[in-house]
Every structure is written in structure tokens, then in C-alpha cells.
Amino acid sequence: MSDTVAKRLPYLEWALRFDRLGLAFVAVVAMAAASLFVPQPWNDILAMSAAGAMVFVHQGQSARRKIFAANQISQGLLSIAEDCIKLLDLDGRIVCISETGRRLIEASSTDVLVGFDWIALWDTPDAQQAFDRAKAGESVSFSGSCRTFGGAMKWWTSSFAPVVGENGKVTAVLCKSRDITTEVKIIDELRGNARVQKDMEDHVDAVFWTASADFRTLLHVSSAFERMWEMPISALEADETAWAQRVHREDMPELRSKMKSAVKTGQSTQSYFRLALPDDRTRWVRADIYPVIENGAVSRVVSVCVDATAERMHLQELHRLANIDSLTGLHNRNAMTEALVTRCATGEPLAYLFVDIDRFKSINDTAGHSAGDTVLTAIAERIKSALPEGAIVARPGGDEFTVVLPGVFDQERIERACRRISLACHRPIRVGCKSVTLSCSIGVALFPEHGRTPEELFISADMAMYAAKRAGRNTFRVFGEREKNDLARAHLESQLSDAIRDDQFVLHYQPQYSVETGELAGVEALVRWNHPQLGLLAPGAFVPVLEESPLIMDAGHWIIREAVHAASKLTTSMPAVRSMAVNVSPKQFRDPRLVSVLKQAIKRRGIEACSITLEITESALIENLDDAQAVLSAMREMGVRIAIDDFGTGYSSLSYLARFRPDLLKLDKSFVDNIATDAMTYTVVEGVIDLAHKLGVIVVAEGVETQDQLERLRDAGCDKVQGYLLSRPVPMERLVELAPVH
Ligand code: C2E
Ligand code: CA
Ligand code: CA
């Protein structure tokens, strides 16, 4: 404002040439109002009017008229000025004052004010000081408060403009005071808010931060930082990254990544970290990080950090309680799993022991559960003290204990550890007035040999423990080949059930040729497993597992349906192929549904039953003679043909041939292998074929690999042959390409 005053001073000087103060005042006020206090465009209009008034006065009219005219103009101008405008004499007393000024000062009339010591009104020495400077010729302003004549406390900002007389001396001071009470109140209120914020920041135990979006510049850090970080805020002024020095090294990467992700995603996030404080103290801090989004981009980041030490301690305690077996104080299953996860991740070798108390149930049953608890507590204590430092002992439940022993274990070390545990269990335990003596069975699994994950180790040790039980209890067993096979089997079995559900089986077909004509006479369907990871698997890899599980039924039914379907396709594409042989496992053969499944399939595909041959091993027929006979007659009734598979490997009693009267006999590969080199074998084969023919049974030789073998079989009168010499088992599409052999 004082700038503006200075710019407009020429007007003032000009106006003040008038010797009469009253007239000068009018002119000055007109000029002042026009030049200083009235906003544009009024400013210009008023300035012109005031100038006009001066000119009018100057042109030598009578003094009265001059005064009157100037008065009119000044009154008009003053009446539209919003501030209190007055002229003060050099003592600071009011010479004249504008009507608006009177109103603002709440005086009854302007007359009351004339001669009033205006400077004395103020409760700040600033008033006197500013006035003194104005008297010295400066244009100055000051702010302060004073009471009005009405008693109200008001705030003002006042500007002084010295009035310089013709002699160049200040003769009076023109003053404009603006009532700024409302603004001051607003500012006060705002200051109040800022104070509230500061009070909050000072007294709430949370650190409030504002930082630039790249976290490089700290825009604001509240005072609680000093208490939480135990570091003066001035340290941040010197180095904005000083706060990070206190953050625990292990926690920094996660904190940084959370900070970055908040900015990247625009989503608020939370991070826990530790502050490494002097004297090896640690404080947990929870930081909530909020990105501030302006115009679609993160402009800065606000964060609130609170002391989370108590929260963490509480969590740790809960975690401890959740990981402790309340009876024995040992780790529980949960804790053991967690410990194993951590250990396995390091890759360091270890032994995992599964200890089961032998016949513990009888204690519970005969002496009661509290006696049982006493025993378990005592055993827990003893196992723990029997093992070296670094061992982890847990009670996952019941009478089972598990132990992790870090390090490399050979047989001797395992034995030593197990013996210690056994002895710990074996010492008599007092229960009331009795004493009990117990033993335990221990299963051992080594990491990484017997399992690479906690789950695998659990299973391996469990299986080894059962092996120890089987071996008569009170002993230990290390997971071995047998358990490994059992496990592989169990794994395969679980995968096989998926295989059936997901249609992973396929049939390949091995041609059988007529020895006499060389024509393709039939095929044998042989199952394969299209394993999702291992590729095409031969039946040797899974059929034995299938046969030992109930899954063989479902798989067998699928094979029958598929083979019958294939047979129906062959009747049109390869009419010469008149026989489709299907292998049936012994279990399947005893299943009463076999007949109906086969019947339905044949009916559905509309083929002749005699084009299907069921291949059954001798043993399957002999295992349950009566049932076998019943199934055989049902088959025969249907028209399905029967072949005895692998003839010569099982009982090979020729009397069974007469008894079962199969349609075909499949001479096992072991005969074929030797037929060309061993005369005795040739004689046996020749005899078998002869007898078979006498009984009306067709003979098929399988596993023919050489031309010699084929020739010898021809000499012996064999009817059909199959083998790699002629063709391997092939998918249906390839069958068609196979040419007849002579
Ligand atoms: P198998 O019924 O005795 O089948 C003949 C096996 O000998 C087939 O093995 C066949 O590929 C193989 N083979 C044929 N010619 C030769 C040869 O010249 N040299 C040699 N080294 N091998 C030859 P594959 O397909 O691996 O089947 C093995 C066994 O799995 C079968 O013996 C059978 O017992 C069983 N199997 C195969 N498919 C099925 C099925 O669909 N159901 C049931 N229950 N068992 C099946
Ligand atoms: Ca077979
Ligand atoms: Ca066979």
C-alpha cells in the first residue's frame, strides 16, 4: 500500500499548495481518496474529479465559493471511501475526519473527534513510532488494535502520508485506517487451526510426514519424529534421508518397496519396520502411507507412523501361545511346520524324527487321562534334555513327538540319537503311587534325501515309524527303499485316479498275423497312459498299481468300451481284422459287472461278440475256479472268445486246458525266446500246440522277435504270431498302414 501512496504523492503535493488547511484537507482528501483508497476504475474517476475541483478553486473564485465547491466534492468523495480517513496535526490530534471514519470509530459526531488524541488510542507503541516517521516525511503504515467509542475492540491497519507545507516541512499527517477486524478474526481462527494441528502433532505419539512423490524432499515432519526416532529434526534438515539410518537393515527393502508401490499404484499401503535405537533398543513402527492424487497423478505422499512395539509384542505373544503345546510347553504342530519350512529353505541337512510312544493308549485307558498327561509331560521333558542344543522338539498331538536335529546324519549318528530318545522314554515314570515303563517307535527321515518339503518329511518319517512298529516296536527305522516304493505307489495311485477322470489312457493295438497266410488276422489292445508330465507310459509302469487298487475296475471298463469301439471301426476300415483281443486283470475278471459292461458295449457298437477275445492269465482262472467257470460260461453264452494269456508262466497244467476249454492259447514270450535255440523248448511247444489243436484251441505265439523264431513256430504248427518282428503295438491310425507278411 505504501508503494501506491508514494506513486500518488505528486497529487498530494500539488493539492497542498493551498494555504488554508481546511481547503487543503478537502483537496488532499479528494486526492487521497482518489489515488490511494478507491479501487479501479473509481480511482481514476475520483482523481479526475478531485483535480477538477482543484482547478476550479485555483481559477480565482471567491474564497467562500471555493471552499463550498471543494467541500462538496470532498464530501462526496469521502462518503464513498470505505476507510476511516482523517487529518492529524503534528501532536497526533484529529483535525478533521471522514463521516465513514466517524462511523467506524463509533463516535456520536465528528465534532467530538476534533482535537481528540488519536495516537493515544492505540495499545501498541507501533502507532507512535509510525506517526513519528510520518512526521519525518515518510509514508508508513502500522497495524494494531484499539477500542472504539462504543467500547468494541477493533483491528486496524493505518497508513500515514505526511502533508508537507510550502516551506517543505511536514505540517500535518493524513491518515487512512482500514477496519481489518474481520480479517484478523479469520486469521486468528486459521492460526488457531494451525495451533490445533501443532498441538496435536506435539502431543499425539504419531509422526506425520509429507514428502514429495519421489520421497526425495520432506515437505513436513511433525515434532513426534524426535521422540520416535530419537533423533533431532535438525538432522533431517542437514540430510533428508537421515531417518533411514535408524530403520533396521532387514526391514528397509520391504519399506522401500511399499513406498514405491504406494506411488506406483496410487493405493495406500502399510508397512511395519523396526527402528534400531541407541543401546541396542528396538522400536517397531507401523507406517501408513497415503499417496495424494492431484490431477490424476500422485503429487506427494502423506504418511503416519505410530509406535507398534506393543502391538508387535502382543502379536508375538499370541504367536507364541499359538505355537506352544499347552500340556508340555513344547512346540506344537504349527510351530514345527514353521521351523521346518525355515530350515528346508536354507538347504542345510537335518534329520526329522517321528517318535510314537508304544501302547500309550493303555495308560489313558487304565490309569486315566491325567495320568496320561503326567506321562507325556515327563517324556517331553526327558526327550528335550536328552537332545543336544539346537534340536527342536514338538508334540504335534496325542502321544506323538517330533524332533528336528540339524546336521549331517550317518547311520551311527542316527542310531545314537534314537537310542537317547528310547532311553528317555524307557526310564520308569511315577504316576501316583505306581510307576510305568514305556518304549517308543521312531521313524527317521533325512533332509533332503527323504523329502525336500516339510510335508514330504512328515510322510517319510511317518512311514518309517510304521515300519518300526511293524518290526515289533521299541525300535527305529530310517526311511528306506521299501517306504520309497510304497510312497511312489501311493503317489502313482493318486495320479491314476486323475488319469481316469481326465481321459489320459489310450489304447495301442498290436497286430496278430496268420502264420499260414501272413495275413493280419487280429489285434491285441494294449493300454498306455498319456501322462501329463512323463509322456506315454507302458502298462508295466502303472498296471500293477492299478491292479492292486479299486481303480482297475473303472480303468478296465474304460478299456473294454474303447476296445469294442475300436473293433467296430475296424470292421469297416479293415474287415480282414476279425479279432480284437482285450486284456482283463484277475480282479476285473471276478467282478460281476464285467459281463454286463461287455454286453452293453457290444450292443451299443453293433459288433459281433465273437470278434472280441478276452485275454485272461492262467492264475486269474485258477484263483477262484468256481467263479471263473461261471464268468466263462456267461462269456461263452454271449459269444465272446476266451484266450489264456502268458501260457507257460503260471501253473501251465495242461489239464486246465481241457477244463476251461479256451478258444485261444497265448504261448508266452519265454517259450518263443528259446524256441530257435533250444531243442527241448521246441519239443514242448510242439507238444502244447498239438494238444491244443486236439482240443480245438487256436495257438498264438507272442513276443516273436526274429525270423528264426517265426520259422520254428511255423514248423511247430502255431496258428498266429505277434511280436516286434512283425509290428510293435501302434495307435489306431497306424494300424491301417500295416501290410500283410508272408
Ligand atoms: P501281455 O498281455 O502279455 O502283452 C504283451 C506285451 O508284450 C505287451 O507289452 C507288448 O508290447 C509286448 N510285446 C509284444 N511283442 C513283443 C516283442 O516282440 N518283444 C518284446 N520284448 N515285447 C513284446 P505291454 O504293452 O508293455 O504290456 C505289458 C502287459 O501289461 C501286458 O502283457 C498285460 O499283462 C498288461 N496290459 C497291457 N494292456 C492291458 C490292459 O488293457 N488291461 C490289462 N488288465 N492289462 C494290460
Ligand atoms: Ca495279453
Ligand atoms: Ca502275454
Side-chain angles (χ1 to χ4, degrees), residues 524 526 583 615 645-646 666 702:
E524 179 183 4
L526 293 158
N583 291 281
E615 294 193 1
D645 204 355
D646 302 347
K666 292 194 77 175
E702 60 182 354

Side-chain angles (χ1 to χ4, degrees), residues 424-487:
C425 295
H426 212 62
R427 287 205 320 267
I429 300 169
R430 278 214 81 75
V431 182
C433 49
K434 281 193 203 157
S435 108
V436 289
T437 307
L438 294 162
S439 65
C440 64
S441 303
I442 309 173
V444 183
L446 301 178
F447 172 84
E449 301 93 305
H450 304 146
R452 298 192 151 269
T453 64
E455 291 73 27
E456 286 174 12
L457 288 171
F458 293 159
I459 294 169
S460 301
D462 192 60
M463 292 180 83
M465 193 278 289
Y466 275 101
K469 292 257 183 205
R470 275 199 303 270
R473 301 189 168 92
N474 191 20
T475 185
F476 74 93
R477 282 285 179 276
V478 182
F479 182 80
E481 279 312 312
R482 186 182 159 157
E483 285 73 30
K484 215 181 259 179
N485 288 341
D486 286 354
L487 204 60

Side-chain angles (χ1 to χ4, degrees), residues 506-508 510-511 524-528 537-544 546-547 552 555-556 558-560 563 581-586 588 615 617 645-646 666 668-669 672-673 701-706 709 722-729:
V506 284
L507 291 185
H508 282 192
Q510 186 173 37
E524 179 183 4
L526 293 158
V527 72
R528 269 94 185 92
L537 297 181
F542 62 94
V543 166
L546 258 186
E547 281 178 343
I552 187 65
W558 179 86
I559 292 166
I560 288 175
V582 186
N583 291 281
V584 174
S585 79
Q588 207 186 346
E615 294 193 1
T617 55
D645 204 355
D646 302 347
K666 292 194 77 175
D668 192 66
K669 184 173 179 298
V672 177
D673 283 347
E702 60 182 354
V704 181
E705 291 179 340
T706 67
Q709 289 167 355
Q722 75 182 91
Y724 291 175
L725 174 68
L726 309 162
S727 169
R728 286 183 176 252

Side-chain angles (χ1 to χ4, degrees), residues 230-357:
E230 301 191 15
M231 180 187 261
I233 284 196
S234 56
L236 292 178
E237 283 154 17
D239 173 7
E240 296 203 44
T241 62
W243 62 272
Q245 291 161 12
R246 280 259 196 270
V247 176
H248 199 292
R249 249 190 316 137
E250 287 170 14
D251 302 343
M252 202 61 208
E254 194 204 293
L255 177 60
R256 281 207 191 287
S257 99
K258 290 268 174 98
M259 284 158 69
K260 274 188 199 147
S261 91
V263 175
K264 203 168 159 201
T265 61
Q267 302 283 319
S268 64
T269 182
Q270 196 175 64
S271 179
Y272 282 88
F273 58 88
R274 282 162 296 173
L275 291 178
L277 301 173
D279 307 325
D280 287 336
R281 285 170 304 120
T282 301
R283 175 173 294 140
W284 274 98
V285 174
R286 190 188 70 225
D288 288 285
I289 304 166
Y290 307 96
V292 178
I293 299 174
E294 282 172 339
N295 303 324
V298 176
S299 59
R300 57 192 186 279
V301 181
V302 175
S303 170
V304 183
C305 291
V306 293
D307 187 333
T309 313
E311 185 189 323
R312 278 277 149 167
M313 293 297 159
H314 192 60
L315 268 179
Q316 271 167 14
E317 181 59 14
L318 283 178
H319 187 259
R320 198 184 67 80
L321 289 176
N323 286 288
I324 285 275
D325 168 43
S326 56
L327 177 66
T328 62
L330 295 177
H331 283 54
N332 60 15
R333 186 189 308 270
N334 208 17
M336 181 50 103
T337 311
E338 256 182 40
L340 266 182
V341 168
T342 318
R343 297 285 169 116
C344 290
T346 66
E348 301 282 323
L350 60 85
Y352 177 74
L353 280 61
F354 186 0
V355 184
D356 187 275
I357 311 300

